[in-house]
């Protein structure tokens, strides 16, 4: 199993398939995605070699992310490759849901078993104001279709901002009363491209946590390959609530995740360095030993924590660049 110098073990890979996105979420890409020189994304053969190498190093969960991963034309092949890699027990994807209603069945059949859909508000007008699109109805139809298809888990991601804390919380709780969906509130994180947004909108998730506990919600014990959320359940609700609080003390101590960007760079932290080049070792399966060595070596330089508290967002301009 891959481990670092703080004895953290890494069994979870987040693989970004593209930087491109069709939404304009105001905490991520407020002006939409722009790129003058198209970048060359990882090819299927490179993805297969990466998945094989990480699985041999103990990775049992891969999350496909982006940008918007569903904009990749060969997404179904990517899903097939990852889900058929021996050792990968959980294949997940985070999506804005724009293409979900149409493709949920196909993705599930190809081997995707967990899906996270970003739904930043259950109010269509607020959703439009946050995402810069009028896609609320389409996205929610996608959520319904995902429920029909019977994915192993369905989660809704909502970025936690002051506005949502004031008006949206009850709506989500009502929505999960009879739906077996986990709603994950993610504290908005400061990004290099837009520090002002963070100043204006950030609110800690600890207030939510207190509210939940005082209303009979209970904390769930964390599974070893779980994501970063603290999860809460309640006997009267079919769904659950997850809180992702990257600014909380000790958040990084349970880190079990590594990231590879769509350009084939290994990122040890969401907020870190420029990444470590892996692409020159993705030509042939004969390079797997060298690839393994580079990944293991890199991990020794993983820091104990991010430096967000100091306002240091590292080299990450926005989360679409390496996947959230
Ligand atoms: N486009 C897909 C989507 O939105 O679900 C996948 C990529 S997106 C970068 C992954 C997750 O990161 C989304 O749930 C998004 O809300 C979250 N995210 C993006 N920027 C963020 C920020 N500054 N703070 C907290 N979460 C953020
Ligand atoms: Fe696109 Fe996802 Fe970023 Fe929104 S959060 S702009 S959907 S990459």
């Amino acid at each position: 199993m891959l481990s670092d110098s703080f004895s953290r073990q890494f069994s979870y890979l987040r693989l970004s398939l593209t930087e491109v996105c069709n939404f304009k979420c105001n905490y991520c890409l407020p002006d939409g995605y722009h790129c003058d020189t198209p970048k060359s994304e990882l090819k299927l053969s490179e993805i297969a070699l990466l998945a094989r190498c990480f699985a041999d190093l103990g990775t049992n969960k891969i999350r496909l992310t982006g940008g918007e991963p569903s904009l990749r034309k060969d997404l179904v092949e990517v899903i097939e490759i990852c889900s058929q890699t021996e050792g990968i027990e959980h294949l997940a994807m985070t999506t804005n849901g724009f293409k979900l209603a149409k493709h949920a069945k196909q993705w599930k059949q190809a081997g995707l078993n967990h899906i996270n859909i970003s739904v930043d508000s259950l109010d269509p007008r607020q959703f439009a104001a946050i995402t810069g699109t009028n896609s609320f109805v389409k996205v929610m139809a996608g959520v319904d279709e995902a429920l029909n298809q019977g994915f192993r888990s369905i989660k809704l991601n909502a970025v936690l901002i002051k506005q949502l804390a004031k008006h949206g919380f009850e709506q989500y709780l009502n929505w999960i009363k009879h739906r077996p969906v986990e709603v994950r509130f993610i504290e908005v994180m400061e990004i290099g491209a837009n520090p002002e947004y963070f100043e204006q909108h950030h609110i800690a998730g600890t207030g939510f946590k207190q509210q939940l506990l005082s209303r009979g919600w209970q904390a769930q014990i964390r599974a070893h390959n779980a994501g970063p959320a603290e999860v809460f359940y309640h006997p009267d609700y079919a769904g659950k609530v997850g809180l992702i609080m990257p600014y909380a003390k000790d958040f990084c101590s349970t880190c079990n995740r590594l990231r590879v960007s769509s350009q084939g760079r290994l990122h040890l932290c969401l907020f870190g360095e420029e990444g470590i080049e892996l692409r020159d070792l993705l030509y042939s399966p004969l390079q797997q030993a060298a690839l393994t060595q580079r990944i293991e070596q890199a991990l020794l330089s993983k820091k104990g924590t991010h430096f967000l508290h100091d306002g240091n967002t590292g080299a990450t301009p926005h989360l679409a660049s390496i996947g959230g």
Side-chain angles (χ1 to χ4, degrees), residues 14 16 18 20-23 25-29 63-70 93-97 116-120 156-160 184 186-191 194 197-198 246-247 270-271 318-324:
R14 295 189 175 213
S16 176
T18 181
V20 181
C21 190
N22 53 341
F23 278 25
C25 302
N26 52 20
Y27 52 77
C28 182
L29 292 173
R63 175 174 300 284
L64 306 175
T65 181
E68 176 46 40
S70 64
M93 182 162 82
T94 304
T95 173
N96 61 26
N116 286 30
I117 307 134
S118 294
V119 181
D120 284 317
L156 250 52
N157 286 3
V159 170
L160 179 54
R184 315 193 118 189
I186 311 170
E187 274 181 20
V188 68
M189 292 175 262
E190 183 172 348
I191 52 170
N194 193 358
Y197 186 89
F198 175 81
Y247 292 85
L270 192 47
F271 298 99
H318 45 69
L319 269 52
S321 64
I322 58 170

Side-chain angles (χ1 to χ4, degrees), residues 2-306:
L2 279 171
S3 55
D4 69 1
S5 42
F6 299 90
S7 303
R8 292 175 296 193
Q9 296 195 317
F10 297 87
S11 56
Y12 180 2
L13 173 67
R14 295 189 175 213
L15 179 59
S16 176
L17 300 182
T18 181
E19 287 189 1
V20 181
C21 190
N22 53 341
F23 278 25
K24 298 177 180 178
C25 302
N26 52 20
Y27 52 77
C28 182
L29 292 173
D31 302 319
Y33 177 78
H34 297 287
C35 181
D36 301 334
T37 44
K39 296 184 178 167
S40 100
E41 293 162 351
L42 284 170
K43 296 196 292 260
L44 292 177
S45 60
E46 295 173 308
I47 290 173
L49 291 176
L50 269 173
R52 174 74 277 131
C53 184
F54 274 92
D56 286 349
L57 286 166
T59 297
N60 60 22
K61 176 172 179 180
I62 296 180
R63 175 174 300 284
L64 306 175
T65 181
E68 176 46 40
S70 64
L71 297 183
R72 277 275 298 233
K73 294 208 165 54
D74 54 3
L75 176 61
V76 171
E77 285 100 316
V78 173
I79 294 173
E80 281 168 352
I81 286 169
C82 293
S83 68
Q84 287 165 18
T85 301
E86 202 184 325
I88 302 303
E89 294 158 17
H90 305 275
L91 182 64
M93 182 162 82
T94 304
T95 173
N96 61 26
F98 187 77
K99 295 196 170 195
L100 186 57
K102 196 166 170 202
H103 296 284
K105 186 174 179 185
Q106 201 186 14
W107 297 342
K108 169 97 184 344
Q109 281 171 350
L112 189 72
N113 34 43
H114 303 268
I115 192 147
N116 286 30
I117 307 134
S118 294
V119 181
D120 284 317
S121 174
L122 290 174
D123 172 71
R125 275 194 307 186
Q126 199 181 2
F127 181 94
I130 295 173
T131 62
T133 75
N134 282 318
S135 307
F136 180 77
V137 172
K138 197 171 187 170
V139 171
M140 294 314 283
V143 175
D144 287 340
E145 184 54 22
L147 281 162
N148 280 339
Q149 292 299 326
F151 282 89
R152 230 186 271 168
S153 74
I154 301 178
K155 294 175 185 154
L156 250 52
N157 286 3
V159 170
L160 179 54
I161 51 174
K162 284 179 185 157
Q163 212 177 353
L164 183 142
K166 242 189 199 165
H167 305 295
F169 194 39
E170 292 302 329
Q171 252 181 321
Y172 283 101
L173 291 188
N174 290 337
W175 193 84
I176 58 171
K177 181 103 183 161
H178 303 293
R179 290 181 179 91
V181 173
E182 182 181 318
V183 178
R184 315 193 118 189
F185 297 105
I186 311 170
E187 274 181 20
V188 68
M189 292 175 262
E190 183 172 348
I191 52 170
N194 193 358
E196 298 80 22
Y197 186 89
F198 175 81
E199 283 298 316
Q200 284 168 21
H201 297 279
H202 179 261
I203 179 167
T206 41
F208 266 16
K209 184 171 167 178
Q210 289 315 321
Q211 275 193 55
L212 288 170
L213 293 173
S214 67
R215 291 164 65 170
W217 290 78
Q218 293 173 49
Q220 181 174 289
I221 294 167
R222 192 174 186 276
H224 81 280
N225 67 347
E230 283 184 44
V231 180
F232 300 83
Y233 64 94
H234 192 295
D236 298 341
Y237 288 77
K240 295 181 185 175
V241 176
L243 292 177
I244 300 184
M245 299 183 285
Y247 292 85
K249 189 171 161 286
D250 291 339
F251 178 77
C252 299
S253 64
T254 53
C255 184
N256 58 359
R257 305 170 285 287
L258 292 171
R259 296 178 161 81
V260 173
S261 74
S262 59
Q263 310 301 305
R265 298 182 82 83
L266 173 68
H267 290 266
L268 303 171
C269 178
L270 192 47
F271 298 99
E273 24 33 57
E274 304 274 350
I276 296 129
E277 185 63 76
L278 299 181
R279 218 156 180 188
D280 56 312
L281 297 178
L282 294 175
Y283 292 115
S284 149
L286 298 174
Q287 295 174 295
Q288 187 169 334
L291 181 61
T292 300
Q293 200 189 13
R294 189 171 297 168
I295 296 168
E296 285 175 337
Q297 188 66 35
L299 257 178
L300 299 179
S301 65
K302 182 167 162 68
K303 307 254 188 341
T305 182
H306 58 61

